[in-house]
Structures are given as C-alpha cells and as structure tokens.
Amino acid sequence: MTISEIARKAGVSSATVSRVLNESGYVSESTRKKVLEVIEDNEFVPNEMARGLSKKDSNNIAVFVADIENTFFSRAVRGITDVADSYGYNVVLFNTDENVEKEQRYLQTAIGLQCRGIIIAPIAEDNAETQKRLDRMKNQGVPVVLLDRDIRGLSLDGIFSEDVQGAYEAANALIAQGHRRIAIIKGPDNTRPGRERMEGFLRALDEHGIPLPPEYIRDGKFRLDASYDSARALLELPQPPTAIFTVNNLSSYGCMKCLAEKDLVIGRDVSLIGFDALDELDDLGIRLSAVSRSFTEMGRRAMQLLEQRIRHPSLARVRRLRVPTRLLLRGSEKIAADAL
Amino acid sequence: MTISEIARKAGVSSATVSRVLNESGYVSESTRKKVLEVIEDNEFVPNEMARGLSKKDSNNIAVFVADIENTFFSRAVRGITDVADSYGYNVVLFNTDENVEKEQRYLQTAIGLQCRGIIIAPIAEDNAETQKRLDRMKNQGVPVVLLDRDIRGLSLDGIFSEDVQGAYEAANALIAQGHRRIAIIKGPDNTRPGRERMEGFLRALDEHGIPLPPEYIRDGKFRLDASYDSARALLELPQPPTAIFTVNNLSSYGCMKCLAEKDLVIGRDVSLIGFDALDELDDLGIRLSAVSRSFTEMGRRAMQLLEQRIRHPSLARVRRLRVPTRLLLRGSEKIAADAL
DNA sequence: CTGAAAGCGCTTACAG
DNA sequence: CTGAAAGCGCTTACAG
C-alpha cells in the first residue's frame, strides 16, 4: 500500500494525501475526511524510508553504549527511550562491547542510516579515529551528545556527573571514620570518569596528609573481573588497607565478590564506598555506601540535549552538563574499632 | 556526498559505483580500483534510506522488550545485538514498558520503518489488537519471532523455555526437603510463562498429595513491588508457608526484600527457590537456588530464528524452540530442622 | 564490462 | 484548495 494507491482510492492526488498525512499545506475539511477514511480503511502506514529520503532526514537517533548488560547503560537507555519517544524519535541501539573497532564501524552505520543525532559513551577519550569520526559527524550537522564518558579535543555537548567532587566526598567519608590505610580500585586513565574519580580521591587524601602507597592503587578497569583481582591483591598485602574506594558499579561488585569469598563483612571488617550505588542490593540488606547519581536521569538529559541541538543546530554554545552526585552513607563506610 | 558525485569524480556512471559498492554484476578490476579509491578519499557512506527504498528492504530489525532495565531483557538484547551484528542487521529498540498502547503504536512504527523482522516479548498473550497486528505483519511478509512470552491463536516462531518442567523441578526440590507448606508467588495468567510455571508447580504438589490452600497462591505479577506485597502477606499468615517458589527474577527480588526486612534468612528460616537465577547475587554470598536458563542464549537464538525466517520466508513449518532449564541448588531450598 | 533510464514511495515548490 | 512534476539517492533490468 502506497500513497498513490490511497490517492487513487480517495480520488485525489498523492500530493494531497501527503498533505493530509503531514498536516501541512491546505486541505479542505471534506477531502481531508475522505482521505483519512481511506487511510484508516486500508490501515496504511507511510514508508519512512521514502519520506526520509525525500525530506532528507529521519526520526532515528543512534545510541552507543559500551555494555547494555551494565545497569548504568540499561537504565540510561531507559531514560533515553522515554524522552526519545516523547519527541517521536526511534532509537537504534549499538552495543560497542568496549571494542573500538565496533565503535567505529557502528559510527559508519549510523551515518548510513542518516541518523538525526547520536548519543554516545565513547570507549576512550583519546582514540584518534573515533575523535575524527565524531568531529566529522558534528561538522556535517549530525549532533553528538556524550554520555558520562568524554572525548578529548572536541567540544561536544554532553551529560556528565560531578566525579571529582563525588570521589572527594567518598574519600572524606572514609577518612572521617579514622582510616589511614585507604586503597582505590581505579578506572581507566583514558576516560574522564576514571581520571576525575582518581583526582577527587587523591585530593581528599592529600588534604589530610594521608599517604597513598603505590600498592594501594589498583586498576579495576571498570570491570568486575579486574576489580576482583585488584581487591584480592589489596587484601593479601602484608599491610592491607582498612578501607577501599571502588570507582564504578562493576568494581564494587568485583570487590564485594572477593570480600564475600574471604568472609569479610563490609562495615565491620573492612570499609567500602563505591562510586554508583547498588540499589538493587540495598533491599536485600547489603548496604553499600556510595556516591549516587541517577542513571535514568542522565539518559533523559542526554536525549533532551540532543533534541535541543537538533532543533537549534546553529547554536554555538556547547552545553556540557553535570548531574550532581549524592553521598549515601549506608554503613559500609564504617569499621569495627579493633579492625582499624 | 552521493553515488553520482562519486561516479563523476571516478569518471564512471552511478550504476558502476553501485555495482562496486554491492559487489554485484561485472566491474573490471581497474575501474573497481579507481572507484574504491574515490570512495575512500571522500569517505563516502551510501545512504541506506535510498538503498532501502530502491531495494524495498532494510537492514533494520525491531526488538520489543517490556522493560530494558530488567536483566532478563538487557541480557537478551545483548544476545540479539551480537547475532544481529554478525548478519549485518541493526537493532531498533522499543521499550514497551508493559504498556499495550505503546506496544501497538511501536508496532505501527516498526512497519513504517520497513523493519525486516521483529523480535517481541508481547505484554499479554490474549490482546486482540496486538494479535491482529502481529498476524498482519506475518501475512505481509514481516517475520515475527516471539521471545519468552507467547501470543494465543497465532502460529509464530519463538524461543521459550521449559517452564512447566522447570517449575516442577523447583517444587519437587522443595518437597524433597520435607516441606508441606509451600507457597507460590505467581505471574500473570495471561502470559504463557506465568501459566506454565504455575502448572509445573501444581503438578509437583499434586503428585505428592500436598495441599495448596488458596492463601498460599499470591499474584506477584512478575513485578518487584507486587511480589514484595505478596511475600509480606504470606509471611504474616497465621500459618505461614515454610517454603516459597517465586516465578521470575523480580518476584525473587521482591520476596527477598521482604525476608531481609523481617530478618529471615533463606536456607535457614524459610526456603526459597526462584525461576531465573540471580547470578549477580551469588558472588556476594546470597545463594539463591533457582531454575536457571541463559538469557543471552535466548536472545541469540531468537535472532537466529529471525534470520532463518528472513532467509526462507516461504518455509511453512513454524519453529518454536524451548531452551532447557537447569535447577541450581545453592542452599536456599534448605531450612533448619526446627523451622519446618 | 558499462551506461542510460526507469523506478522505489514519498515531499514540495510551482502553477493554477 | 489541488495536482503535475521534479527530485531525494539509490538499484537494476535492458541494451549495447
């Protein structure tokens, strides 16, 4: 079923059908009714590829996530789809799987699909190829909005969080408990969140004159397995830390897995604060203190930024928003007096 | 940049460029090289909307999930995107949010986008409007693959699991522990998984002559909050059950939340087996016994079914696969002798 | 092996 | 208010 078939059945031209469909131009009420009726009767749905080709746009937006299984991303996607839907956009989902080749190939695909804009959590902030492609997209009028992660050297819109401040507060909370042996399971240095969370952590320790031996810094790579290994290495140190700061949800999981294996209880045997709350565990009595922010909200804001940029492509000002973080003290920052 | 611009720069016709791009028809090696070079130099990416319109197809497939935040779906989507990518398909994600109006509107959208096929976990199996639309899609040559949930009255391809058997084994495991007071937090009756898990549960109790008082049957609606309420109602009964069977991951969470609040420990104070394992908790020492199946695998299989149907549209035989379930006994099926 | 031309299903100036 | 016609950027018989 095409517009011209509908036109024939309604006894009008396809231009008129198009006008009815788009509520554009002038159409007399009577022919409008007639056309609508025929459309209804035939359950006609216009071909978006043809429309897109003709109008040189589409209602698709591309969303790039590193790992849809990670609740950070699945919740952000939830926020994105909600807002996208309210604006009539469809979401094409790309799971880059922390793989830069996929990321770059998918970027190509998104261009081919004539996506109206993209929301991306880039794998690394310094990958030259990704930088080049994103820059080109932006220059060709395809808005790009960064989600949580950043890209060096380009001024792109983005939604981030107060990572330095959040990490700073987390470290301070541990220090306030009397800890002097505080370790960090850090994230990748080539990501803004990785660096900034480290920065906030270091600042707090520095301000209190607390030494940070190199063996107290482990790279969890934002991954569960690497963080598990890091935690293990930390806990098996001759002089293990009494408190640990984990920089994302997967690091917290990895660390807690190791603690569980060693029968160490957070808030008693060892203190732990994570960046990003594990709310799903809170209900079950695993009360992890954390630097919290709303993932869904970040997704929503990302889509709002994108929509605004699509609507005002010429707006020069780059919009880089930071959602606040909130320190949730649920008990895991504590430690038994004799364990300190 | 369009095909004809490339053609001009390469001194050939656009037909030739198209042939190079699609590796179809004959192109001499020398002109092929030349064209490829120009494409490369200009970083040309063909317009998929034009290609789609011309070829009357697209590389998009539509994926309908009820809730992307639910790990069942996020993992299934992971499996789908992995396989889709390997076949060159792009995934347009629709989050129906357990809302039939959204489901139906999105179905319309998917048709407009000329999606090559759809994978859907329909909200209800008996919604007349959804049935009608899916039937129409199938008849118009758009393959439909069901994921986990079913649709009544249509013979559509699908990937399901051995729900009756799984639930039966779970109930038997509880019975084997000596339980006689076993409750179920059930799912919606208008979903196949909801009904079949109930059926397996009932069969096991029946075979052992174990009575099931009506107050031991609570509807958790596959939702955390309703399951929490159900658990609470069960535990506050004058004669509470000594064992509970929860029919999906969210019911297990809801139930465990209630248990945690009441300081009841699974495997000691009360027995619990869930349908769908909460593996993310296992590492943390929360050892929930469960009927397990691989969500990612179900997603992969769904996409494989879809791809096969796209490739062989005329194949009459409907393919309805069931992935097996595996009973994981991790200790929560047990109970202290004096609690029985 | 290559090109001219028609066509995919829409939209949109343009003319009336 | 309405229609004829050109055009969006591809693909693909058809002819050579």
Side-chain angles (χ1 to χ4, degrees):
Chain A
M1 188 67 43
T2 70
I3 257 195
S4 52
E5 294 179 67
I6 297 293
R8 194 160 37 68
K9 295 192 192 210
V12 298
S13 75
S14 47
T16 300
V17 177
S18 175
R19 287 189 191 106
V20 172
L21 244 17
N22 295 294
E23 306 187 356
S24 66
Y26 296 92
V27 183
S28 78
E29 194 47 31
S30 60
T31 69
R32 209 181 77 86
K33 273 227 172 78
K34 176 65 186 159
V35 170
L36 246 18
E37 197 184 302
V38 178
I39 288 175
E40 195 74 7
D41 289 352
N42 293 274
E43 290 164 332
F44 169 68
V45 184
N47 182 329
E48 288 297 329
M49 310 210 88
R51 188 203 287 249
L53 178 59
S54 183
K55 297 181 68 160
K56 291 170 134 313
D57 77 356
S58 83
N59 290 324
N60 298 335
I61 65 136
V63 173
F64 286 66
V65 300
D67 175 13
I68 189 65
E69 295 188 57
N70 181 332
T71 53
F72 173 75
F73 290 114
S74 58
R75 290 186 189 170
V77 165
R78 164 55 181 268
I80 292 170
T81 53
D82 281 357
V83 175
D85 185 47
S86 76
Y87 287 119
Y89 290 116
N90 305 122
V91 168
V92 185
L93 182 72
F94 295 100
N95 196 61
T96 61
D97 210 11
E98 301 281 8
N99 176 330
V100 286
E101 272 119 60
K102 283 195 186 181
E103 179 173 85
Q104 287 155 17
R105 183 159 55 80
Y106 293 158
L107 244 15
Q108 194 90 338
T109 304
I111 293 172
L113 290 174
Q114 314 297 117
C115 285
R116 198 65 174 279
I118 86 171
I119 294 174
I120 184 172
I123 295 165
E125 61 183 0
D126 52 6
N127 184 287
E129 186 64 24
T130 296
Q131 287 169 332
K132 200 185 83 187
R133 288 178 193 245
L134 289 178
D135 192 37
R136 203 160 62 228
M137 289 187 91
K138 187 192 170 194
N139 292 333
Q140 294 182 352
V142 180
V144 176
V145 170
L146 298 168
L147 173 63
D148 197 41
R149 302 206 190 167
D150 208 345
I151 283 285
R152 278 265 172 84
L154 303 181
S155 49
L156 296 170
D157 293 344
I159 178 86
F160 312 102
S161 51
E162 296 288 1
D163 294 288
V164 176
Q165 178 66 15
Y168 176 75
E169 289 173 13
N172 272 335
L174 291 172
I175 294 166
Q177 292 294 322
H179 288 285
R180 300 281 300 175
R181 302 210 307 271
I182 309 174
I184 181 171
I185 298 183
K186 67 191 274 294
D189 287 323
N190 64 350
T191 66
R192 192 197 46 71
R195 275 185 294 102
E196 291 193 355
R197 291 172 198 172
M198 176 61 117
E199 182 186 334
F201 176 78
L202 290 177
R203 182 182 303 170
L205 265 61
D206 196 50
E207 282 182 11
H208 291 80
I210 294 179
L212 179 66
E215 65 270 26
Y216 277 14
I217 304 175
R218 298 280 170 172
D219 193 357
K221 302 175 180 176
F222 282 163
R223 294 207 319 255
L224 197 153
D225 54 353
S227 300
Y228 169 84
D229 293 342
S230 296
R232 183 185 203 94
L234 286 172
L235 294 167
E236 292 176 356
L237 244 28
Q239 182 86 293
T242 57
I244 301 176
F245 174 53
T246 43
V247 295
N248 81 337
N249 54 358
L250 295 178
S251 327
S252 302
Y253 265 110
C255 181
M256 289 167 79
K257 173 181 176 182
C258 184
L259 294 173
E261 272 183 19
K262 293 184 178 292
D263 272 321
L264 295 173
V265 176
I266 57 175
R268 190 192 72 189
D269 305 319
V270 57
S271 293
L272 178 64
I273 298 188
F275 201 105
D276 284 342
L278 304 181
D279 292 324
E280 64 276 21
L281 301 184
D282 192 49
D283 285 344
L284 307 183
I286 301 187
R287 318 214 69 228
L288 176 68
S289 296
V291 179
S292 166
R293 55 200 176 131
S294 169
F295 302 162
T296 320
E297 177 66 13
M298 287 183 74
R300 277 196 294 262
R301 300 284 284 274
M303 186 61 223
Q304 284 160 357
L305 280 178
L306 183 59
E307 195 275 334
Q308 288 161 11
R309 182 60 72 181
I310 289 172
R311 206 145 36 91
H312 305 295
S314 52
L315 205 73
R317 190 165 59 89
V318 172
R319 302 190 60 193
R320 296 171 66 85
L321 307 182
R322 299 239 180 193
V323 297
T325 59
R326 199 158 56 94
L327 183 65
L328 298 180
L329 293 180
R330 290 166 163 167
S332 73
E333 78 283 5
K334 303 208 170 123
I335 192 163
D338 59 344
L340 204 56
Chain B
M1 188 68 42
T2 71
I3 257 194
S4 53
E5 294 179 68
I6 298 294
R8 193 163 34 71
K9 294 192 192 209
V12 298
S13 75
S14 46
T16 298
V17 176
S18 174
R19 289 193 189 100
V20 171
L21 243 17
N22 295 293
E23 305 186 359
S24 66
Y26 297 91
V27 183
S28 79
E29 193 47 32
S30 60
T31 69
R32 211 181 76 86
K33 274 229 173 75
K34 176 64 185 158
V35 170
L36 247 18
E37 197 183 303
V38 178
I39 288 174
E40 194 75 8
D41 288 353
N42 294 273
E43 289 164 332
F44 169 68
V45 183
N47 182 331
E48 289 297 328
M49 311 211 87
R51 189 204 287 248
L53 178 59
S54 182
K55 297 182 67 162
K56 288 171 135 310
D57 76 357
S58 83
N59 291 324
N60 298 333
I61 65 137
V63 173
F64 286 66
V65 300
D67 175 13
I68 188 65
E69 295 186 58
N70 182 330
T71 52
F72 172 76
F73 290 114
S74 58
R75 289 186 190 169
V77 165
R78 166 54 182 271
I80 291 171
T81 53
D82 281 357
V83 175
D85 186 47
S86 76
Y87 288 119
Y89 290 116
N90 304 121
V91 169
V92 186
L93 181 73
F94 295 100
N95 195 61
T96 61
D97 209 10
E98 302 279 9
N99 176 330
V100 286
E101 273 118 60
K102 282 196 187 181
E103 180 174 83
Q104 288 155 16
R105 182 159 55 80
Y106 292 157
L107 244 16
Q108 193 90 340
T109 305
I111 293 172
L113 290 174
Q114 313 299 113
C115 285
R116 197 65 173 280
I118 85 170
I119 295 175
I120 184 171
I123 293 163
E125 62 183 358
D126 52 6
N127 184 287
E129 186 65 24
T130 296
Q131 287 169 333
K132 201 185 82 187
R133 286 176 195 247
L134 289 177
D135 192 37
R136 204 160 61 227
M137 289 187 93
K138 187 192 170 196
N139 292 333
Q140 295 181 350
V142 181
V144 176
V145 170
L146 298 168
L147 173 65
D148 197 43
R149 302 206 190 168
D150 207 345
I151 283 284
R152 278 264 174 86
L154 303 181
S155 49
L156 296 170
D157 293 344
I159 178 85
F160 313 102
S161 51
E162 296 288 1
D163 295 287
V164 176
Q165 179 65 18
Y168 177 76
E169 289 174 11
N172 272 335
L174 291 172
I175 294 166
Q177 293 293 321
H179 288 285
R180 301 281 300 175
R181 302 211 308 271
I182 309 175
I184 181 171
I185 297 183
K186 67 191 276 291
D189 288 322
N190 64 349
T191 67
R192 192 196 47 71
R195 276 186 293 101
E196 291 193 354
R197 291 172 199 171
M198 176 61 118
E199 183 187 333
F201 176 78
L202 290 177
R203 182 183 301 171
L205 265 62
D206 196 50
E207 282 182 11
H208 290 82
I210 294 179
L212 180 65
E215 64 269 26
Y216 277 12
I217 304 174
R218 298 281 169 172
D219 193 355
K221 302 175 180 176
F222 285 163
R223 294 209 316 256
L224 197 153
D225 54 354
S227 300
Y228 169 84
D229 293 341
S230 296
R232 183 184 204 96
L234 286 172
L235 295 167
E236 292 176 355
L237 243 27
Q239 183 86 291
T242 57
I244 302 176
F245 173 53
T246 44
V247 295
N248 82 334
N249 55 358
L250 295 178
S251 328
S252 302
Y253 265 110
C255 182
M256 290 168 78
K257 173 181 177 182
C258 183
L259 294 173
E261 273 183 19
K262 292 182 177 296
D263 272 321
L264 295 172
V265 176
I266 57 175
R268 191 191 72 189
D269 306 319
V270 57
S271 293
L272 178 64
I273 298 189
F275 201 105
D276 285 341
L278 304 181
D279 292 323
E280 65 276 22
L281 300 185
D282 193 49
D283 285 344
L284 306 184
I286 301 186
R287 317 215 69 227
L288 176 68
S289 296
V291 179
S292 166
R293 54 198 177 130
S294 168
F295 303 161
T296 320
E297 176 65 12
M298 288 183 73
R300 276 195 296 262
R301 301 285 284 275
M303 186 60 222
Q304 284 159 357
L305 280 178
L306 183 59
E307 195 276 333
Q308 288 161 9
R309 183 58 74 182
I310 290 171
R311 206 146 34 92
H312 306 296
S314 53
L315 205 73
R317 191 164 58 87
V318 172
R319 303 191 60 193
R320 295 170 66 84
L321 307 183
R322 296 239 182 195
V323 297
T325 59
R326 201 158 54 95
L327 183 64
L328 298 179
L329 293 180
R330 289 166 164 166
S332 73
E333 77 284 4
K334 302 205 173 128
I335 191 163
D338 59 343
L340 202 56

